[in-house]
Amino acid sequence: MYTPWAAFFSPEGQRLLQQCIDLALEEDGPELTAMGLFAPDAYLNAAIRAKQDTLVVGLPVIGPVFRSLGSPFKWQALAAEAAPVPAMTVVARISAPAVAMLKAERVILNFITHLSGIANLTARYVRELEGTGVRLLDTRKTTPGMRWPEKYAVQAGGACNHRKNLAEMLMLKDNHIDAAGSITAAVATLRARYAPCPPIEVECRTLEHVREAIAARADRIMMDNMEGPLLSEALALVPADIETEVSGGVRLENIRKLALTAPRRPDFISVGRLTHSAVAADFSMTLLPA
C-alpha cells in the first residue's frame, strides 16, 4: 500500500512539492542571525532526533530544501522512511554551511513533524480496521499547497489515497446534482462529455439517491453521514460490482463499527481528519561536534 517517496511523487507532484518548499523558504526571508554570527565558509553538523515513539516520514525533503538554497550539503538517513522508531532515536545526520543549516532547520522540521503526525494518526485508524477487509481513504481536506506530501504521509501510515486532484475521479456532490437536475442526468452528461470517462462517484444522503445512483451505474457510491439502520439498508441495496464508501462523522471510536456494518460491509471508509486534524510529531535538530 505504501509507495516510496521517489515513486510516489510524479513530475507534477515534484513540481508542486518544490513550490511548497520554495514558498516556505521565501516566507522566512534571509537568516540574518546566522549570517551575523558565522563566516560564509563555516560548517555545522547536526542530527535530527525523534523525541517520541513515532513513524518517521518526510526525511527525503532534506535534499530538496538544501538544493533550493543552492547550498552544498551531505546527509545520511539513520532510520528507514515510514518506519517506527522509539523516542530519542537519531533519524538523520546533516553536514552543511552554517547559514544554510540554520535557515533549513525549521523548514525541514516542519515537514517531518507534520507528515509524521499524519502517518501516526493514520496508523491508528488502520489498526481499528484490521481484519475487516475495509480500506481507509483520505480526502481532499488537505493543507493548501501540501496535498502531495500529506497524501504521501497517509500512505506511509498504511491507508490509501482517494484522489489527488479533481480529474482522477469525478465526484457528484449535492451542488453538482442540484445544478444538473438529477443524479441520472449528471452521470449521463459526464459520460457523454468524456471519452474515456474517469470513474464517477456519487455522494448520497438518502436511500432514494442510492437507488438512483445504482440505476445510473455509478462506479462508486458514497454514503454520506449515514449510520445505523439507514447505512445498513443503503449498503445492502448496492450490487457487488459497484464500490461503496462511507464518509462523514467517522472517528476512531466508531470506525470499526461502521466497517462491520451488516449485511454488506463498505469497500472504503474515508476520513478527513487524517490530514486536517493530525497532531504534529515531536522532532528536533541539534548540533553535533565538528
Side-chain angles (χ1 to χ4, degrees):
M1 204 174 287
Y2 166 61
T3 304
W5 181 280
F8 180 88
F9 283 90
S10 68
E12 175 68 2
Q14 292 176 31
R15 183 183 68 80
L16 293 171
L17 173 65
Q18 192 62 56
Q19 287 181 351
C20 188
I21 290 170
D22 291 343
L23 178 59
L25 293 169
E26 182 181 349
E27 285 176 334
D28 272 341
E31 221 296 19
L32 295 181
T33 307
M35 292 168 66
L37 291 174
F38 296 99
D41 60 351
Y43 258 71
L44 293 175
N45 298 307
I48 297 177
R49 188 185 308 271
K51 298 176 72 176
Q52 65 176 81
D53 296 352
T54 182
L55 292 170
V56 181
V57 180
L59 293 179
V61 81
I62 293 171
V65 170
F66 279 105
R67 284 192 288 272
S68 287
L69 291 171
S71 172
F73 69 98
K74 293 181 181 179
W75 82 280
Q76 178 187 14
L78 300 178
E81 177 74 356
V85 299
M88 305 315 294
T89 298
V90 175
V91 300
R93 288 196 179 99
I94 307 171
S95 177
V99 173
M101 180 79 81
L102 294 167
K103 181 172 173 62
E105 174 185 1
R106 178 44 53 192
V107 172
I108 290 170
L109 288 176
N110 282 349
F111 273 95
I112 293 174
T113 59
H114 181 55
L115 299 185
S116 298
I118 289 173
N120 288 338
L121 181 59
T122 300
R124 292 179 65 190
Y125 275 89
V126 169
R127 285 194 291 271
E128 291 297 319
L129 291 177
E130 285 180 358
T132 67
V134 178
R135 286 167 284 179
L136 178 65
L137 296 177
D138 54 21
T139 71
R140 287 192 306 114
K141 295 177 181 177
T142 52
T143 307
M146 284 283 287
R147 172 150 321 144
W148 277 79
E150 289 184 350
K151 283 183 173 284
Y152 165 80
V154 166
Q155 279 202 13
C160 303
N161 298 145
H162 187 286
R163 53 179 182 164
K164 298 184 186 70
N165 58 44
L166 297 173
E168 286 189 352
M169 174 180 277
L170 310 183
M171 180 181 287
L172 290 169
K173 301 173 76 69
D174 52 357
N175 287 334
H176 298 103
I177 295 165
D178 290 344
S182 67
I183 291 171
T184 303
V187 171
T189 300
L190 289 175
R191 289 194 170 136
R193 172 67 176 82
Y194 300 111
C197 185
I200 298 174
E201 178 169 11
V202 180
E203 181 182 275
C204 298
R205 298 188 177 185
T206 67
L207 295 179
E208 290 72 21
H209 285 165
V210 172
R211 292 187 181 98
E212 187 177 358
I214 293 168
R217 299 303 299 169
D219 298 283
R220 184 184 300 176
I221 297 175
M222 176 194 288
M223 317 302 173
D224 186 41
N225 284 292
M226 293 187 189
E227 56 184 343
L230 176 61
L231 176 61
S232 179
E233 188 173 354
L235 287 169
L237 289 172
V238 184
D241 61 341
I242 296 179
E243 293 179 334
T244 58
E245 177 183 338
V246 170
S247 185
V250 182
R251 305 178 305 280
L252 279 168
E253 296 78 14
N254 69 354
I255 189 170
R256 190 169 184 86
K257 180 179 179 180
L258 292 170
L260 294 174
T261 299
R264 175 182 172 173
R265 298 178 184 181
D267 296 297
F268 303 97
I269 296 180
S270 55
V271 180
R273 67 185 65 233
L274 299 181
T275 48
H276 71 59
S277 296
V279 176
D282 193 1
F283 287 80
S284 67
M285 183 185 290
T286 55
L287 297 183
L288 299 170

